[in-house]
Amino acid sequence: QVQLDESGGGLVQAGGSLRLSCAASGRTFRSYAMGWFRQAPGKERDFVAAFNWNGYNVYYADSVKGRFTISRDNAKNTVYLQMNSLKPEDTAVYYCAAHPGLGWGVRVEEREYDYWGQGTQVTVSS
């Protein structure tokens, strides 16, 4: 069992940056594959970025590739999403998700994740 708590969202102008954090409880955090998803108003929740449990394999949605970076600090039980060159279309509630497992695959589907945070709002103004 793991609990996830996102933070770092806010209001930023287009072209600006934000860093989201996802703090996880539980001593087995380092064995979890982690991902970030987002949901804009009136739309379905979409994949943003993810990596497998050791971070060796990483995958990004095309819409954020080159602008967003996912990373983890196992000593702090925290996953980050660094978001640069933000655009108004990045406005959404951002969620982190966790899946226990030591596989090499990167999970990009919501249904593949077992645990979710409550989300943090990111608003990008034009």
Side-chain angles (χ1 to χ4, degrees):
Q1 187 84 10
V2 65
Q3 291 184 316
L4 305 174
D5 184 22
E6 302 98 333
S7 61
L11 174 64
V12 64
Q13 288 189 329
S17 297
L18 282 175
R19 188 177 78 158
L20 305 184
S21 299
C22 173
S25 65
R27 290 178 289 180
T28 59
F29 169 74
R30 63 182 65 241
S31 66
Y32 282 74
M34 301 295 296
W36 286 95
F37 290 75
R38 66 186 181 186
Q39 187 168 22
K43 295 187 177 181
E44 294 184 349
R45 191 153 55 183
D46 291 329
F47 169 77
V48 175
F51 45 30
N52 71 320
W53 71 277
N54 60 13
Y56 284 179
N57 292 323
V58 186
Y59 193 75
Y60 295 94
D62 287 343
S63 58
V64 307
K65 203 173 293 183
R67 299 188 297 123
F68 290 12
T69 303
I70 187 172
S71 62
R72 69 192 300 163
D73 184 338
N74 287 336
K76 296 183 178 179
N77 275 16
T78 301
V79 174
Y80 303 99
L81 185 67
Q82 177 66 43
M83 306 186 296
N84 299 327
S85 302
L86 282 162
K87 305 175 182 179
E89 51 264 45
D90 294 318
T91 294
V93 177
Y94 283 72
Y95 300 88
C96 71
H99 173 83
L102 302 177
W104 289 98
V106 179
R107 303 177 185 278
V108 302
E109 300 288 341
E110 277 192 72
R111 54 183 166 80
E112 297 181 284
Y113 287 89
D114 302 84
Y115 306 103
W116 292 83
Q118 82 290 346
T120 185
Q121 176 70 48
V122 172
T123 302
V124 184
S125 63
S126 57

